[in-house]
Amino acid sequence: MSKLVAGNWKMFGDQNMLSEIKVIDQYCHKIDCEVAICPPFQLILSAHQQTKNIKIGAQNCHINANGPHTGEVSAEMLIDVGAELILVGHSERRQDNNETNKIIKQKAEAVQRAGATAVVCIGETLEERKADRTLQVLQEQMLNCLPKNVNPKNTVVAYEPVWAIGTGLVPEIDQIRSAHSFIRGFLASTFGAEAHNVKILYGGSVKGSNAREIFSISNVNGALVGGASLKSSDFIEIIKAAS
Ligand code: 13P
C-alpha cells in the first residue's frame, strides 16, 4: 500500500509559513506516496486553497457537530474549510487536556460521522515500556479509542511512543516492528479483512536521516512527523524516503 507522510505542526505556524506548505505541495506533484500537513486551525483554509497535491488536516476536534461550546471546533467545521483528516488522541492532548480513551473514541466517531479520516494516536510512556507493559497499553488504547467501524478510508492508526516525541530518541527497529505487528494483528482480528489495509504510521523523532530505515519495517505504512515537518526541506527528505 502507498505510504502516508503526515506533518503535525502542533502550535507552530503563522501565515508566513504557508510558503513552506506551497513548496511541499509543489514537490508532491507526481510522487507515489500520500502527503498531509496538519497546521494549526487558523491556517487550514488558506493551506487548503493553496495546495493541489497534498491533503490538509487538523489536530483536534470537538465530539459534537455544533452547540454551546465556546472556543471549540467541530469535525464538520474543519471539513468545511478543507480538512480531510483529523488527529485524535495525540499524547500531548492526553497530557495537557486530560483526554481519556473514552473522549478520544467519541472524537474518532465524530470525525467518521463528519466524513473525514481519524488519525488515532496511541503509544506507551517510558514508564510503561520499562515495566514491559507496551503491548498491553496499546491494546487498551485500541480497544477503548477505536470506533466500531474501522476501514482504510475512515481510520489511520499512529503509533507514537510518548518518550520518542520531540526527544530525538527513536525506538530500536525491533521495538517498532513488534509494536506495528501487534497493532496490525489487533486490527485484523477485530475489524476483519479490510483492516489489513488500514495504515499504521510511526511517529516520534522521525527525520530525513532515519526515515528510510523506519519505512522499511514491515507494517510501517508511513510517518506522523512533528519537528521535521515545519521546514519544507526537512519534510521533503522524509517524503523522498517514502516514495
Ligand atoms: P516529533 O517528530 O517532533 O518527535 O513529534 C512527533 C509527533 O508528536 C507527531 O505527532
Side-chain angles (χ1 to χ4, degrees), residues 6-189:
N8 170 12
W9 276 17
K10 308 189 179 184
M11 200 172 73
F12 295 101
D14 55 16
Q15 294 194 65
N16 290 325
M17 278 186 60
L18 290 168
S19 59
E20 299 294 319
I21 295 185
K22 279 196 254 177
V23 173
I24 293 163
D25 187 62
Q26 278 157 13
Y27 177 80
C28 291
H29 178 62
K30 287 194 180 153
I31 51 162
D32 60 2
C33 75
E34 289 175 56
V35 174
I37 296 275
C38 303
F41 288 141
Q42 92 285 5
L43 295 180
I44 291 175
L45 177 61
S46 311
H48 168 65
Q49 287 171 337
Q50 296 179 31
T51 49
K52 284 199 301 278
N53 306 310
I54 67 171
K55 291 182 176 172
I56 300 302
Q59 301 169 20
N60 176 45
C61 68
H62 193 268
I63 62 175
N64 294 333
N66 46 52
H69 305 291
T70 302
E72 295 289 341
V73 179
S74 72
E76 283 80 355
M77 292 166 178
L78 293 166
I79 290 175
D80 185 45
V81 290
E84 293 182 68
L85 37 112
I86 302 177
L87 309 184
V88 299
H90 193 282
S91 63
E92 286 154 12
R93 294 203 58 86
R94 291 178 191 258
Q95 278 166 7
D96 298 352
N97 302 79
N98 301 316
E99 289 192 5
T100 59
N101 287 337
K102 185 170 169 216
I103 293 171
I104 292 159
K105 181 177 184 173
Q106 290 173 322
K107 291 190 174 193
E109 287 167 349
V111 175
Q112 292 190 352
R113 172 194 69 217
T117 302
V119 181
V120 181
C121 304
I122 59 174
E124 81 287 0
T125 61
L126 190 56
E127 229 176 26
E128 289 162 342
R129 174 158 290 274
K130 283 185 174 157
D132 220 5
R133 292 188 56 234
T134 299
L135 300 184
Q136 189 186 331
V137 169
L138 297 181
Q139 172 153 358
E140 273 163 24
Q141 290 177 334
M142 287 190 285
L143 267 175
N144 295 304
C145 296
L146 291 172
K148 255 206 318 281
N149 293 312
V150 164
N151 63 48
K153 214 177 154 331
N154 66 18
T155 309
V156 168
V157 175
Y159 169 57
E160 300 205 304
V162 179
W163 51 276
I165 295 176
T167 57
L169 299 172
V170 181
E172 306 278 331
I173 298 300
D174 277 348
Q175 292 175 322
I176 299 180
R177 185 185 294 114
S178 113
H180 278 246
S181 121
F182 180 77
I183 294 166
R184 176 68 67 212
F186 179 93
L187 294 175
S189 63

